[in-house]
Amino acid sequence: TNGQLWRDSYTPGAGWQGPASMGGSLVSQPAAVQSSPGTTAVFARGTDGHLWEAVSGAGSGWSSLAQLNVGTLGSRPAAVARGSGVIDVFWRGSADKHLWHAEYSPGQGWGKPQDLGAQLASAPAPALSGAGTLSVFWKGTDGHLWYVRRSPGRPWGKAASLGMGALGGGPAAAGLAGGTVDVFWPGSSRASVWGTRYVPGTGWSTATAVGGAVTGGPFVVSAGTAADVLWRGSDGRLWWSISQGTGWQPSSRLGMGVLGGAPFAAGQAGGVVDVFWKGSADAHLWHARYRAGSWAGPRDLGGAVS
């Protein structure tokens, strides 16, 4: 709530270490990625409108927040990372509403920001799938779902509309190792979460209602061979669905109390999912974990989340 970047770290055997400030002056939710084993990078939009970054290397602790000279952002940043250490960050331009991209390569640093064009009415949602295919999704100014894709070793393709009907908010996306990509968004009336799935060799499915009225945006993560989508329902509770074969299991409400904001989550290759949210009464950071077929939580991690 003081506008600074805060963190809380979990270590196996030691548990959660407690909230700690990393300073700065931010106006967006941070986006964190693991770019290589033991290395984490976090990005956020500062009060000056610029992109800021902090990095934690294996055993070296966290760096100070540093401004990246990529221009002024018109949305929160979104990032994805590959095990090779390459990081891709995307945002909507502040004046032109275009999709912008910057790439970090180990040993070379940050490249020049790249204007990918198009017209965005939401923050971008990137996803990595297969052997390094990068797809970025957004709500277009026509209200529909748009995307652009880059295959390994090839230039960016041309932005294209996927249709899918009118979106009630920005999309969220996640990719799986086999090449599948899942994208979700709130419907135009926000009466349901909608989704579509891309399967290599088959293409995009028609838009399907997963279920449950939604407030805020859905959050989708990949966890091993499955994907999970979570959202804050109109009842203020945490809702969830998981991919099942070519479709999705019926959505269910998790008994985690009332959320004070949209959830965000992270998945692990072994199928573990960690989800976090702002408490409704105390503004603390709350956490729940899915493992071995069941949910544990909620757990109060403290702090003061804006």
Side-chain angles (χ1 to χ4, degrees):
T1 52
N2 62 4
Q4 295 179 357
L5 177 64
W6 287 72
R7 74 174 189 272
D8 199 343
S9 301
Y10 175 85
T11 303
W16 290 94
Q17 305 304 302
S21 174
M22 298 174 65
S25 183
L26 309 179
V27 293
S28 80
Q29 179 172 307
V33 292
Q34 186 184 55
S35 58
S36 58
T39 300
T40 301
V42 60
F43 304 90
R45 180 187 178 202
T47 53
D48 58 2
H50 292 286
L51 180 64
W52 289 76
E53 176 198 31
V55 179
S56 173
S60 63
W62 282 94
S63 69
S64 299
L65 278 164
Q67 184 193 107
L68 301 180
N69 186 24
V70 295
T72 305
L73 281 63
S75 73
R76 68 180 184 272
V80 291
R82 294 167 244 179
S84 62
V86 174
I87 302 174
D88 294 274
V89 184
F90 301 88
W91 64 92
R92 181 181 62 182
S94 62
D96 55 23
K97 312 301 182 188
H98 289 185
L99 175 65
W100 285 81
H101 164 242
E103 182 175 287
Y104 172 86
S105 297
Q108 301 179 34
W110 288 97
K112 183 180 179 181
Q114 182 181 11
D115 183 355
L116 298 181
Q119 286 287 303
L120 280 64
S122 73
L128 274 171
S129 61
T133 297
L134 183 53
S135 306
V136 189
F137 304 86
W138 63 90
K139 178 184 177 181
T141 51
D142 61 359
H144 295 291
L145 180 64
W146 284 72
Y147 86 115
V148 66
R149 175 178 293 167
R150 186 183 70 188
S151 299
R154 299 178 64 87
W156 287 97
K158 185 178 179 180
S161 173
L162 289 172
M164 302 294 171
L167 278 64
L176 299 178
T180 298
V181 180
D182 289 289
V183 188
F184 292 89
W185 62 91
S188 58
S189 65
R190 307 189 76 84
S192 182
V193 172
W194 288 74
T196 182
R197 166 170 281 187
Y198 173 83
V199 177
T202 302
W204 290 98
S205 68
T206 57
T208 302
V210 177
V214 58
T215 57
F219 202 104
V220 58
V221 295
S222 58
T225 58
D228 298 68
V229 59
L230 303 110
W231 66 93
R232 181 177 183 255
S234 58
D235 57 2
R237 309 283 177 162
L238 181 63
W239 286 76
W240 167 71
S241 181
I242 188 171
S243 59
Q244 196 172 54
T246 58
W248 289 80
Q249 72 176 25
S251 61
S252 57
R253 186 176 72 177
L254 303 177
M256 300 296 174
V258 179
L259 281 64
F264 60 101
Q268 299 180 32
V272 175
V273 174
D274 290 281
V275 58
F276 304 86
W277 63 92
K278 172 187 174 182
S280 61
D282 52 23
H284 290 183
L285 180 66
W286 287 78
H287 166 246
R289 168 169 282 193
Y290 176 81
R291 179 170 54 190
S294 64
W295 284 93
R299 180 170 182 174
D300 184 354
L301 299 182
V305 180
S306 64

